[in-house]
Amino acid sequence: MYKESELRNIFNGKRILIAGFGREGRSSYQLIRKLFPYPSTDITLAVADKNTAIETDAMLAADHDIAIFSGNNYLKHAGEYDVILKSPGIPTFDFDGIAPAENISSQTDIFLQLYADQTIGITGTKGKSTTTNLIYSMMKMVNPNTIMAGNMGLPLFDSIENIDSKTLLVLELSSHQLENIHRSPHIGILLNLFQEHLDHYNSYLDYRMAKLNIGLHQSKNDVFIYCKDNDELDTLVQKNEIKSIVLPY
């Protein structure tokens, strides 16, 4: 597995909570158990989901070294964990007063810590799927070792086995995936901003800042591309310091 040692270092010795056990949560569980097979003394692992069906989930049934929390108060123990891998469908504000913000991570956060330099990331309220597919199709012709993943349904951790040092990654990223990241893609593209998904955020500003994360955590050698014709987006970019090469279009 490419960068297996770096992945192990991120999780080793940590108390890990997988919050949400849908498609992405199951993907996180499978990767962690591949890195730290049951039984493991290197990590403490737990799964939390509002759906009580996880109590009898076939994937978890054979794992006797895991805590399971379900029901309406499924997040009540979140403060006891060092790393919380939050699924995109869970609002970050659900952890307010329960767990420190710095402990909240995600597949996208971990993935970009490892592979940001190989990544083109695309976000926007409208058009991100079309743009991602277009860029992927073009880059695939230049570099056959190109992978498309992200918000279209393929969990990022499911791609790790197929990544090497020459792989180019084209990722469609939603605001939910971007809100807890600490590293932005090498090339970040922000298409537009409109008022959607506001039930997931405390304010429209929080939603916009989640989207802007695709450029906020870049380095000076990265590239941030955005639509200057979108006045609201242009104003947001001008008010925030983007350290990378900024290319408005």
Side-chain angles (χ1 to χ4, degrees), residues 29 33 36-41 43-47 54-68 81:
Y29 171 81
R33 274 298 179 232
F36 303 94
Y38 161 79
S40 173
T41 58
I43 62 166
T44 300
L45 185 59
V47 172
I54 68 165
E55 297 283 350
T56 56
D57 186 90
M59 182 180 287
L60 303 177
D63 192 335
H64 303 295
D65 193 27
I66 190 169
I68 299 175
Y81 291 85

Side-chain angles (χ1 to χ4, degrees), residues 88 122-123 128 151 172-179 210-211:
I122 302 97
T123 196
K128 56 184 176 292
N151 189 54
E172 177 188 333
L173 298 169
S174 69
S175 60
H176 306 333
Q177 291 171 302
L178 289 165
E179 60 186 337
K211 287 289 195 187

